[in-house]
Amino acid sequence: MRILLTNDDGIQAVGLRAMHKALVHAGHEVFVVAPVTEQSAVGHAITLSAPLRVKEFRDEGFFGLGVTGTPADCVKLALSTLIKDRPDMVVSGINSGANVGVDLLYSGTVSAATEGAFMGFPALAVSMDDFNPTDLSGQAAYAAALLPRLPFSRLPAKCVLNLNFPARPIAEVLGLKLCPHTRVAYEDWFEERLDPRGRPYYWMCGELKAERISEGRDRRLLSEGYVTLTPLKFDFTDHETLSLLEPMLSAKLC
């Protein structure tokens, strides 16, 4: 396949380089278009008030284009302008840090895949439950081997598959689980600290309470040692409430 590979950790991130190597080794033609700098948790932001610049990155066995923008910018620019031959799909990752539950709203990794899906391409987001990985070759090889088994042609339009690896060596994972995403929100707080000049600043912290996470959902399964795969769709309409409101608001006002 022809694959557009991107991420939100930046074009030099260990996860993207591992994914590139694994996909090329599997025989795919890989086009890399990714942010020049880390763009974690920027969500689906796009750049409207500044120019986007593109820089070539070359290493032994690697070539890619770095963009001075967000992950969604990279996908838009790549698919509309930079890549002349239409790719078969978009792969985003491997991200440093899991993307489960409410992370789906914040994640630049998932948003890059979502942008690809919005533009009509099969899309896969890949993440690792470790914020400081040093070697993701095993996870990348697993994802590359899984790719031909995923029935993208039979999936609904604009579907994103979200793949997460647990924080353990690939040889120690317990298997792959299809599952829904976690619905529990983070409990956030801000620590007040002082900079070297004695001025206060605030650092956001947060956690998902383990006891509130339902069994069988991505965050729980990931913590238990499973690779998780969750199909995502981005229809924001609350159809249940729509049905509830319709008879109320369609009635004639007195």
Side-chain angles (χ1 to χ4, degrees):
M1 290 191 293
R2 285 196 191 95
I3 296 175
L4 168 60
L5 177 62
T6 190
N7 72 347
D8 74 359
D9 289 328
I11 196 166
Q12 301 191 78
V14 62
L16 181 134
R17 297 304 179 96
M19 197 73 246
H20 174 268
K21 186 174 182 180
L23 291 173
V24 170
H25 181 75
H28 302 294
E29 185 178 3
V30 184
F31 303 89
V32 177
V33 183
V36 171
T37 59
E38 183 176 346
Q39 298 286 316
S40 296
V42 300
H44 211 110
I46 56 174
T47 301
L48 298 177
S49 58
L52 296 175
R53 302 189 186 278
V54 179
K55 177 182 178 181
E56 293 186 355
F57 284 76
R58 296 179 184 271
D59 292 305
E60 185 176 351
F62 177 86
F63 173 76
L65 299 177
V67 176
T68 59
T70 69
D73 286 333
C74 292
V75 174
K76 281 181 173 292
L77 185 61
L79 295 178
S80 66
T81 305
L82 299 180
I83 299 178
K84 303 307 178 186
D85 297 322
R86 178 183 174 92
D88 297 302
M89 71 171 302
V90 175
V91 175
S92 182
I94 300 171
N95 186 66
S96 297
N99 278 307
V100 295
V102 73
D103 296 328
L104 302 177
L105 296 176
Y106 307 136
S107 169
T109 299
V110 174
S111 293
T114 304
E115 185 60 39
F118 285 169
M119 295 179 73
F121 294 84
L124 175 70
V126 188
S127 304
M128 171 69 175
D129 195 17
D130 183 347
F131 286 107
N132 297 290
T134 57
D135 181 7
L136 290 174
S137 57
Q139 287 76 13
Y142 185 108
L146 180 64
L147 208 54
R149 296 173 53 199
L150 299 174
F152 285 106
S153 63
R154 297 169 57 189
L155 298 181
K158 301 181 181 178
C159 173
V160 175
L161 294 183
N162 186 39
L163 182 69
N164 281 277
F165 289 97
R168 58 176 63 189
I170 197 67
E172 297 178 13
V173 301
L174 302 182
L176 176 68
K177 290 281 192 179
L178 284 168
C179 60
H181 73 82
T182 302
R183 291 181 293 183
V184 177
Y186 281 96
E187 293 189 12
D188 296 327
W189 68 92
F190 290 83
E191 291 184 358
E192 182 176 349
R193 303 177 182 179
L194 297 178
D195 69 17
R197 297 187 177 183
R199 296 174 298 193
Y201 67 93
Y202 299 87
W203 195 274
M204 189 176 73
C205 306
E207 64 177 342
L208 292 174
K209 294 291 186 179
E211 64 274 14
R212 297 182 58 202
I213 299 172
S214 301
E215 291 186 11
R217 292 187 176 269
D218 55 7
R219 178 64 271 173
R220 174 69 69 87
L221 290 167
L222 202 58
S223 298
E224 292 172 354
Y226 290 96
V227 180
T228 64
L229 183 66
T230 304
L232 307 174
K233 67 176 182 179
F234 291 84
D235 177 357
F236 294 112
T237 303
D238 182 342
H239 292 278
E240 184 178 352
T241 304
L242 186 67
S243 298
L244 176 68
L245 290 172
E246 190 171 27
M248 300 178 186
L249 298 182
S250 61
K252 292 183 179 179
L253 297 177
C254 296

